[in-house]
Amino acid sequence: MMTDHTHEDVLTNHNHEGKTDQRTNRQRPRERDENVTKRRSVPRQGDAHYFTNPFSFALELGFFAGLIWGGIHWLFHFLHFTIVPVGFLAEPFFKHKYIYTPAGHLTGWLCFIVFSIFASLLYTFTIRKLKGPFPGMVYGIVWWVILFILLGPKLGMMKPLNQLTWDSIFTEICFFLLWGLFIGYTVAMEYTDERKREPEHAGA
């Protein structure tokens, strides 16, 4: 009697373990699905740029655009590639002789930084969704037209085009084209899908 009872207990335990294993196997796919869902819910590193604050980003971009390209413009003027000084934006507010002094160059550089911050804010809050380098290049040329044709000569920032040298005209066009490219393409890299073309995401 004891043997039969023990045998029955073994069968019962075996069946109970089998049912437990089946329940465990049934639950495993659910756990796998939950793990996959958790993995998908974790934001990837490349998605962080969609949450960039536009205002602070534009301020930082404009500052460095003015700092870097203002220095390059001063170098162009120092090397006599252009007769337009880096302080041309300060001409309406200061005496003409002051613009050509060391303090005037620094003041003009600061004015160009402020101008670049304004241009960066305008670009970021209006056309930041445009992709590629060409919108930024066009943006720079538009600012060249505004400053050197429409407003600049009237406000005394620089001489009319027919009184500028050809070297100055070509230098200023190229300068504003590259300056606009710097702002526009940096914004495009931050707020469009351009980053997905990088090797890090290409292999993902």
Side-chain angles (χ1 to χ4, degrees):
M1 294 294 292
M2 294 179 62
T3 305
D4 295 339
H5 180 71
T6 304
H7 182 67
E8 291 176 358
D9 291 342
V10 171
L11 291 177
T12 302
N13 293 333
H14 179 73
N15 293 333
H16 180 69
E17 292 176 356
K19 292 179 180 180
T20 302
D21 293 338
Q22 291 177 358
R23 292 177 182 176
T24 304
N25 292 332
R26 291 176 182 176
Q27 292 177 353
R28 285 177 182 174
R30 296 180 181 179
E31 294 177 356
R32 293 175 182 175
D33 295 338
E34 291 177 357
N35 292 333
V36 172
T37 304
K38 290 179 179 179
R39 291 176 182 175
R40 291 178 179 176
S41 62
V42 177
R44 294 178 298 177
Q45 183 178 2
D47 295 338
H49 66 282
Y50 290 108
F51 303 98
T52 302
N53 185 289
F55 184 77
S56 59
F57 173 80
L59 283 179
E60 184 178 0
L61 173 60
F63 173 79
F64 284 104
L67 182 66
I68 295 172
W69 290 98
I72 293 175
H73 193 282
W74 176 84
L75 182 62
F76 285 166
H77 181 262
F78 179 78
L79 297 175
H80 303 289
F81 290 159
T82 177
I83 62 175
V84 179
V86 67
F88 70 93
L89 291 171
E91 282 275 8
F93 311 102
F94 297 92
K95 294 182 179 180
H96 182 73
K97 294 181 179 180
Y98 173 77
I99 298 300
Y100 289 89
T101 63
H105 288 303
L106 181 60
T107 302
W109 199 342
L110 293 176
C111 290
F112 189 77
I113 291 176
V114 174
F115 165 70
S116 297
I117 291 175
F118 170 76
S120 178
L121 286 169
L122 182 62
Y123 190 98
T124 302
F125 282 96
T126 55
I127 53 176
R128 67 172 180 262
K129 294 299 183 180
L130 297 181
K131 299 180 180 180
F134 296 106
M137 298 169 68
V138 174
Y139 187 69
I141 295 299
V142 168
W143 273 114
W144 178 85
V145 171
I146 293 174
L147 293 175
F148 281 79
I149 297 179
L150 300 179
L151 296 180
K154 296 180 181 178
L155 296 177
M157 294 182 182
M158 72 284 295
K159 297 178 180 179
L161 287 183
N162 57 1
Q163 297 181 22
L164 291 177
T165 63
W166 284 107
D167 290 340
S168 297
I169 295 174
F170 286 124
T171 299
E172 296 297 337
I173 290 176
C174 294
F175 172 81
F176 274 90
L177 187 147
L178 295 174
W179 170 80
L181 174 64
F182 180 86
I183 293 177
Y185 198 57
T186 303
V187 174
M189 290 286 287
E190 188 66 27
Y191 290 100
T192 67
D193 296 333
E194 293 294 331
R195 284 185 175 184
K196 294 183 180 180
R197 300 182 184 181
E198 296 180 359
E200 179 182 355
H201 299 284

